[in-house]
Amino acid sequence: MTKRDNSLQRRFGPTALVTGASDGIGRAFALQLAEQGFNLILVARRRTALRELARDLGVRFGTEVAVIPIDLSAPDAVATVLEETKGAQIGLVIAAAGFGSVGPFLHQDMASEINMVDLNCRSVVELSHGFGQRMAQQGRGGIVLFGSLVGFNGAPLSATYAATKGFVQSFAEGIAAEMRPLGVQVLSVAPGPVGTGFAVRAGMQMGRAATPDTVARSALAALGRRGTVRPGALAKVLGWSLAMLPRWGRVRVMGVIMKGMSGKDTAGTPAPGKDTAVSRG
Ligand SMILES: NC(=O)c1ccc[n+]([C@@H]2O[C@H](COP(=O)([O-])OP(=O)(O)OC[C@H]3O[C@@H](n4cnc5c(N)ncnc54)[C@H](OP(=O)(O)O)[C@@H]3O)[C@@H](O)[C@H]2O)c1
């Protein structure tokens, strides 16, 4: 039997909170953190999926797991999470809950786009503020936020989603510098395509997707060592290549990539409602 590596748990504290834990990347984090000896608080909307995961982690790793089924895009959701976790000594927060839309901006459903901003940006700011304050008081902690390869410039056919990820990237860089002297490490994870429900739900082709496991492993290895990590070979290669272009060139290339992955076009698009896809991811 291989020896458990508990070094992260010793560095950050006994309990980790993971949002978006019912699926995809958040779920992969939950598994790896349980394996490393963390107790867990799992947050997402689907109560049954969270409970099943909690039971599984308890059986496999003896992990203490609490679940908070909640819609984090709702105005008072993060306040509820902060209230419900008051007594817990949370050393690590993984804010993986998020979703995106694909298709021409003018054909998107406005309520859904605003909901995306609420979840991907507002809830992330609130979580970082609430838990950041607690961690600063403890003198240690880690916060993992999710940017994306598409968050370093505008992305046609995924304009709002890319902008939410650009917001998170910039926000993470700013608070990382502020919180580091307080003992709190902040990491932005900026993957390229990852093989989760995202691609399936959006009807996108993601040929060379990284696995959620790779994303979680790279992020946990980078936490406290770097400010941004780009997990997966494709994210690295595309990131380096795009970085050599001027910003307008990156936007153009991103448009070609998004067109190829989504099968949608910015011009001569079909009628609204026929070509929009909303995807968590
Ligand atoms: N997959 C990719 O290609 C990719 C690439 C770059 C960055 N990312 C980022 O990585 C993060 C995780 O993505 P993923 O691929 O793991 O997506 P995913 O498989 O679709 O999982 C998303 C998770 O977020 C939860 N969630 C969605 N809306 C929520 C809400 N309103 N309130 C609470 N929880 C909510 C979902 O659970 P419930 O449905 O149970 O609520 C699910 O657990 C996201 O921030 C995404 O933007 C993904």
Side-chain angles (χ1 to χ4, degrees), residues 201-213:
R201 276 181 281 272
M204 289 170 78
Q205 303 289 326
M206 285 188 179
R208 295 248 199 98
T211 66
D213 259 10

Side-chain angles (χ1 to χ4, degrees), residues 68-85:
I68 306 180
I70 199 162
D71 180 347
L72 285 170
S73 68
D76 50 1
V78 173
T80 304
V81 172
L82 288 166
E83 183 61 31
E84 287 194 20
T85 56

Side-chain angles (χ1 to χ4, degrees), residues 192-243:
V194 185
T196 65
F198 179 87
V200 179
R201 276 181 281 272
M204 289 170 78
Q205 303 289 326
M206 285 188 179
R208 295 248 199 98
T211 66
D213 259 10
T214 304
V215 175
R217 210 166 296 285
S218 316
L220 293 176
L223 184 61
R225 296 187 170 82
R226 298 158 64 179
T228 298
V229 64
R230 297 168 186 257
L234 189 59
K236 287 185 183 63
V237 172
L238 271 176
W240 289 328
S241 323
L242 287 167

Side-chain angles (χ1 to χ4, degrees), residues 35-51:
E35 204 173 356
Q36 295 191 27
F38 280 91
N39 294 321
L40 291 171
I41 299 172
L42 307 179
V43 184
R45 290 168 303 182
R46 281 172 288 164
R47 184 187 298 272
T48 310
L50 290 179
R51 283 201 178 143

Side-chain angles (χ1 to χ4, degrees), residues 37 132 140 169 210 222 279:
R140 65 174 181 167
Q169 179 65 34
S279 63

Side-chain angles (χ1 to χ4, degrees), residues 21-105:
S22 61
D23 219 336
I25 296 169
R27 187 185 167 88
F29 268 96
L31 278 158
Q32 288 182 28
L33 292 170
E35 204 173 356
Q36 295 191 27
F38 280 91
N39 294 321
L40 291 171
I41 299 172
L42 307 179
V43 184
R45 290 168 303 182
R46 281 172 288 164
R47 184 187 298 272
T48 310
L50 290 179
R51 283 201 178 143
E52 279 170 8
L53 178 60
R55 213 173 6 252
D56 181 42
L57 296 177
V59 171
R60 283 169 67 186
F61 306 109
T63 315
E64 274 180 39
V65 190
V67 303
I68 306 180
I70 199 162
D71 180 347
L72 285 170
S73 68
D76 50 1
V78 173
T80 304
V81 172
L82 288 166
E83 183 61 31
E84 287 194 20
T85 56
K86 242 181 187 163
Q89 223 190 315
I90 295 173
L92 200 52
V93 169
I94 314 291
F99 77 96
S101 59
V102 178
F105 172 65

